[in-house]
């Protein structure tokens, strides 16, 4: 038996999440079906983590054991011809027998994208949360900073979480305004910059990416952080509220769970497997 | 009656082109239906030009006459709530009575996008032509240059064109490799850079955008130019062939019509209407 790791990207819009479900319409079901179609084997995939319905992945890592003799370099092309267009195998690695996509992940990064231009970006509408009024991005950055480190994230976790402990470590968190993303080219002069300057003092337009890197994440954690930060950006909460909410250990103190389509599993880092250059 | 101009973006994937068709599944049909829904008027839209089935627009300009008293600044939001998610009105202008979106367009720019990375970009797969092997981009640039100016474009026009003259003027044409678009992060080491250097000498990976600006375009013109340039990029034709094909005035001498999804109507320029800053 060989142990094979795949780096997989997917558009989660039309799926019920990563992990197998009875209906069969999940990323894992499609990958396992493609592997069966190719090798004749019913493998059990191990993913680096689950993603919810509607959530995407730039880089999900999965591994499985196979007795197939298909050479490593053939797997990506062979699987891609057997997968729907919204799931792509980026690369394939032969990995040590003991490699486990979830247990051996050192850390993971998620990205949540908020477009606060007046109109949605038509060509990225499946991958962003559209917030049609400007946000106080500096305030959001200040609020985000207090989440870095080891904390009990009960306030930022779905009450449906089944984990015995809600203590997790956020290694890095940043908010980046995408350069050149501020609308200007076709902004209507009537509702243009002058309007914003009067009505949204201290707030900015553009596409904002929230990156959160941690050793482990709880159910809906990044989406609740994003939903609460949006309220800070709207001025409904102060940056300092982010820390107060954290200290409360009470989900009801935080903001809403932001819509799934803004979220992507961005990167998974392993010690042994150099997936990035 | 007032004359109103809209700047509209659309994802053409699921439509039968811009112009009204009996089936009713076109961009124009959807826009006219949204205007009817909003104002109760059956207007006849005038577009800056048609786009084919599957072709997109970052910026299509349309105008129509209305006796509705809805203020200009309300139209964009009101129409967007009545349009499907893949059509967005970016901005709305009250224009002089004589303004005509097609007659008064000074020039138009189309963009054709070719991704020659090994795997398609999942998140832009609806808006690019995926060419899985590298292309000689410098050769394509050299071939493209000879098309600039006033020429008879019969070789680069569908034989279905009904125009009496195939003489058109290309004002500007360029080929740009998108910065940072070369795959590297997840490139499989087995089929990685070393492989490319041996098997695809002088060719590059990445996402390439072809921009063509002209005063008028013929049926399938940009797509046939793109399809022929790809053959130059593959080394199947020389850059000089582009001029030879042009001189032949014979469609059969050129390459294939490239797939529609790579094409977008990128910009329309008017003298009177400042649509860009």
């Amino acid at each position: 038996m060989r142990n094979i790791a795949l780096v997989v990207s997917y558009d989660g819009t039309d799926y019920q999440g990563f992990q197998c479900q009875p209906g069969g319409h999940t990323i894992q079901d499609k990958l396992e079906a493609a592997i069966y179609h190719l090798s004749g084997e019913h493998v059990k995939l191990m993913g680096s983590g689950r993603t919810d319905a509607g959530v995407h992945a730039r880089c999900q890592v999965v591994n499985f054991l196979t007795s197939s003799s298909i050479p490593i370099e053939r797997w990506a092309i062979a699987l891609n011809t057997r997968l729907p267009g919204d799931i792509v195998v980026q690369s394939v690695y032969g990995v040590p027998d003991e490699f486990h996509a979830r247990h051996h992940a050192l850390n993971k990064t998620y990205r949540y994208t908020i477009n606060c231009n007046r109109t949605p970006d038509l060509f990225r509408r499946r991958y962003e949360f559209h917030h049609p009024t400007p946000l106080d991005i500096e305030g959001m950055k200040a609020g985000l900073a207090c989440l870095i480190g080891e904390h009990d994230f009960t306030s930022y976790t779905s009450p449906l979480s089944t984990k015995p402990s809600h203590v997790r470590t956020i290694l890095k968190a940043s908010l980046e305004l995408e350069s050149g993303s501020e609308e200007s080219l076709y902004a209507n002069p009537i509702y243009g910059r002058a309007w914003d300057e009067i009505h949204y003092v201290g707030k900015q337009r553009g596409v904002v990416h929230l990156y959160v890197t941690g050793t482990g994440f709880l159910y809906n954690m990044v989406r609740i952080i994003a939903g609460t930060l949006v309220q800070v950006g709207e001025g409904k909460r102060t940056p300092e509220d982010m820390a107060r909410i954290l200290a409360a250990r009470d989900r009801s103190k935080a903001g809403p769970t932001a819509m799934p389509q803004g979220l992507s599993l961005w990167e998974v880092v392993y010690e042994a497997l150099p997936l990035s250059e």
Side-chain angles (χ1 to χ4, degrees), chain A:
Chain A
M1 296 289 266
R2 284 185 304 162
N3 193 359
I4 289 184
L6 312 176
V7 179
V8 184
S9 302
Y10 47 84
D11 175 342
T13 308
D14 299 328
Y15 294 96
Q16 298 182 284
F18 177 78
Q19 198 174 46
C20 286
Q21 299 275 342
H25 204 63
T26 69
I27 308 295
Q28 187 179 354
D29 285 304
K30 298 294 170 190
L31 284 168
E32 290 181 355
I35 293 167
Y36 174 69
H37 189 199
L38 175 63
S39 72
E41 290 178 311
H42 287 290
V43 306
K44 177 81 188 149
L45 273 192
M46 187 51 59
S48 74
R50 303 173 194 182
T51 55
D52 287 345
V55 173
H56 319 292
R58 182 183 80 143
C59 159
Q60 165 72 290
V61 177
V62 303
N63 76 290
F64 59 96
L65 296 171
T66 175
S67 54
S68 158
S69 59
I70 298 167
I72 291 292
E73 66 270 23
R74 298 280 170 82
W75 280 87
I77 290 169
L79 287 176
N80 284 335
T81 61
R82 290 163 172 84
L83 283 166
D86 47 10
I87 305 176
V88 170
V89 175
Q90 301 284 357
S91 50
V92 181
Y93 298 82
V95 287
D97 291 351
E98 66 278 13
F99 177 83
H100 185 288
R102 184 158 56 84
H103 294 162
H104 295 144
L106 292 181
N107 62 71
K108 281 194 282 191
T109 301
Y110 282 91
R111 181 173 96 160
Y112 195 92
T113 299
I114 303 155
N115 179 348
C116 49
N117 286 325
R118 210 168 276 100
T119 50
D121 180 340
L122 189 81
F123 304 108
R124 300 199 288 185
R125 68 192 186 283
R126 294 158 73 102
Y127 317 117
E128 64 181 27
F129 164 49
H130 181 227
H131 184 277
T133 60
L135 294 171
D136 170 11
I137 293 168
E138 293 311 311
M140 294 166 76
K141 283 183 182 174
L144 178 61
C146 74
L147 300 185
I148 296 171
E150 187 183 87
H151 302 287
D152 182 321
F153 284 95
T154 300
S155 295
Y156 294 104
T157 302
S158 165
L160 299 174
S161 165
T162 55
K163 301 289 177 189
S165 163
H166 290 161
V167 175
R168 292 292 182 276
T169 301
I170 292 186
L171 300 167
K172 232 166 74 180
S174 65
L175 204 70
E176 294 175 17
L177 183 64
E178 187 177 313
S179 89
S181 69
E182 274 188 86
E183 72 189 345
S184 60
L185 204 52
Y186 301 115
N188 196 316
I190 295 165
Y191 275 144
R193 288 205 186 123
W195 175 279
D196 277 5
E197 279 163 21
I198 296 164
H199 293 83
Y200 302 107
V201 178
K203 293 177 182 168
Q204 280 177 278
R205 291 201 181 269
V207 176
V208 187
H209 302 289
L210 164 67
Y211 294 91
V212 184
T213 303
T215 52
F217 289 88
L218 295 158
Y219 191 40
N220 285 351
M221 181 168 152
V222 180
R223 288 166 58 190
I224 298 169
I225 292 172
T228 313
L229 274 181
V230 166
Q231 296 188 322
V232 172
E234 290 168 336
K236 290 181 187 162
R237 297 180 189 258
T238 66
E240 296 72 33
D241 284 343
M242 293 297 290
R244 281 188 209 113
I245 293 164
L246 186 69
R249 299 183 195 185
D250 175 355
R251 169 67 184 94
S252 72
K253 302 293 187 217
T257 306
M259 298 159 103
Q261 82 262 28
L263 189 64
S264 285
L265 174 54
W266 197 249
E267 194 164 28
V268 189
V269 172
Y270 296 90
E271 198 173 343
L273 193 65
L275 293 179
S276 56
E277 290 184 350

